[in-house]
Amino acid sequence: MKKIFTIIIAFFIFTSTFSQNKFGNPEVDPIQIQKNFTDWSAYQSKKIMLSRDFTALDAESKEISKEAFLDQLANGNFIPIRLKSEESIYVYKLFKIQPKTDTSIKATINQIGFDAFKNYKMEGTAFPKFSFKDLNGNLVTNESMKGKIIVIKCWYIHCTPCIREFPQVNKLVDEYKDRKDIVFMSLAEDSPEQLKTFLARKPLSYSVIPDMKDYMNESLQLNSFPTHFIINKEGIISKVLPNFESLEVALAKESKL
């Protein structure tokens, strides 16, 4: 009987070890990375993209849904760490936040998780009805955009991260200039006069829709900028993204469908 019990214990230990090794080890020390806010923030911004498709693991190395993973980030006491794998494979695992960790790390993770969870829940839903007129007087509506992939950037003049990515998104527009089925447009909070003055100094290759503060607040319920949307040819939100890096990856995938 004692021998059987020993075998069972050994089996569970082996299974647990195999589960972790199957996906690889953490690419950084989960405890060390929590030692100060600056190190964690640099890692988070460069290595963890919650808008992309990834394999999600809980703290016990069990696979869970992306929705459950984001929910635990928003409401729990965890940090996400990527496990070592091939460059194109993404496996994120939850690790417990240590008792002495800077409380601002937990607060920031909860906010990031909340925003990512909210964005994820929008994916697969219809983009709200719209009828916009851009700075050049062109009218764009849901009907006129049917059959096209629409890339939308939501921003405002005094949003530093929004402006910082202008050169990158302008380059992205140029890369897809021969794709007549892909449209780039931006929703801005500011007035036409403010935008014309600003864009004369900081050009944006997207078509620009002014006075969109109420639409972004009420119809899209945005609380984070920039926010990017990719809308598929059927008018369904394919991806909601927080930055250029994740946009570039998602658009490359969407453009091949």
Side-chain angles (χ1 to χ4, degrees):
M1 184 68 179
K2 185 177 179 181
K3 185 176 180 180
I4 294 174
F5 182 75
T6 303
I7 291 173
I8 292 173
I9 294 296
F11 172 78
F12 278 112
I13 292 173
F14 171 79
T15 302
S16 176
T17 302
F18 176 77
S19 177
Q20 293 193 37
N21 291 340
K22 173 184 175 184
F23 294 105
N25 297 314
E27 63 179 6
V28 295
D29 186 328
I31 295 177
Q32 189 65 32
I33 201 68
Q34 300 180 44
K35 289 295 177 70
N36 68 74
F37 184 88
T38 302
D39 289 347
W40 167 79
S41 182
Y43 172 76
Q44 169 75 31
S45 61
K46 291 180 181 178
K47 296 291 187 175
I48 305 296
M49 291 189 190
L50 297 173
S51 56
R52 70 163 75 248
D53 298 323
F54 60 87
T55 298
L57 304 179
D58 68 10
E60 305 301 322
S61 295
K62 295 177 183 176
E63 282 193 63
I64 57 177
S65 67
K66 180 176 179 178
E67 182 175 351
F69 186 93
L70 296 178
D71 181 59
Q72 289 195 51
L73 283 183
N75 301 297
N77 191 43
F78 301 97
I79 66 168
I81 300 291
R82 184 181 174 185
L83 302 188
K84 293 177 182 176
S85 57
E86 295 177 27
E87 187 176 342
S88 59
I89 297 174
Y90 297 87
V91 181
Y92 297 155
K93 180 182 172 181
L94 298 172
F95 288 86
K96 275 281 188 183
I97 293 177
Q98 300 300 301
K100 294 183 179 180
T101 293
D102 185 340
T103 56
S104 58
I105 291 180
K106 179 182 185 304
T108 306
I109 289 175
N110 287 158
Q111 184 60 54
I112 290 171
F114 175 83
D115 291 340
F117 183 82
K118 177 177 168 291
N119 289 348
Y120 176 74
K121 296 294 284 184
M122 292 180 73
E123 294 173 5
T125 66
F127 192 81
K129 289 287 183 182
F130 64 85
S131 180
F132 303 143
K133 193 170 278 189
D134 69 18
L135 287 176
N136 296 319
N138 300 310
L139 182 67
V140 289
T141 67
N142 299 77
E143 292 300 315
S144 67
M145 291 291 106
K146 271 188 175 178
K148 296 181 182 293
I149 296 171
I150 312 173
V151 181
I152 296 179
K153 172 182 169 74
C154 298
W155 66 289
Y156 59 95
I157 285 174
H158 297 294
C159 168
T160 301
C162 301
I163 310 309
R164 189 186 300 127
E165 63 179 20
F166 269 26
Q168 294 167 303
V169 296
N170 287 343
K171 184 179 178 183
L172 193 66
V173 173
D174 189 59
E175 287 176 9
Y176 288 92
K177 63 184 178 183
D178 295 327
R179 288 288 299 267
K180 304 306 179 185
D181 61 332
I182 300 179
V183 176
F184 293 86
M185 67 182 186
S186 71
L187 310 183
E189 289 188 357
D190 315 279
S191 70
E193 295 75 21
Q194 291 171 316
L195 287 165
K196 287 177 182 177
T197 300
F198 180 80
L199 293 171
R201 294 185 292 106
K202 297 276 188 180
L204 177 62
S205 297
Y206 286 46
S207 64
V208 180
I209 318 293
D211 296 323
M212 285 289 102
K213 185 173 183 177
D214 288 345
Y215 182 86
M216 290 191 284
N217 287 345
E218 295 168 13
S219 296
L220 300 179
Q221 297 185 343
L222 296 185
N223 55 19
S224 179
F225 295 88
T227 294
H228 301 269
F229 290 86
I230 297 178
I231 306 168
N232 69 19
K233 294 182 178 182
E234 288 72 48
I236 302 300
I237 298 172
S238 173
K239 280 289 183 182
V240 186
L241 311 144
N243 51 42
F244 168 78
E245 288 77 15
S246 49
L247 170 64
E248 184 178 34
V249 172
L251 182 56
K253 183 176 180 180
E254 185 69 30
S255 67
K256 294 173 184 176
L257 296 179

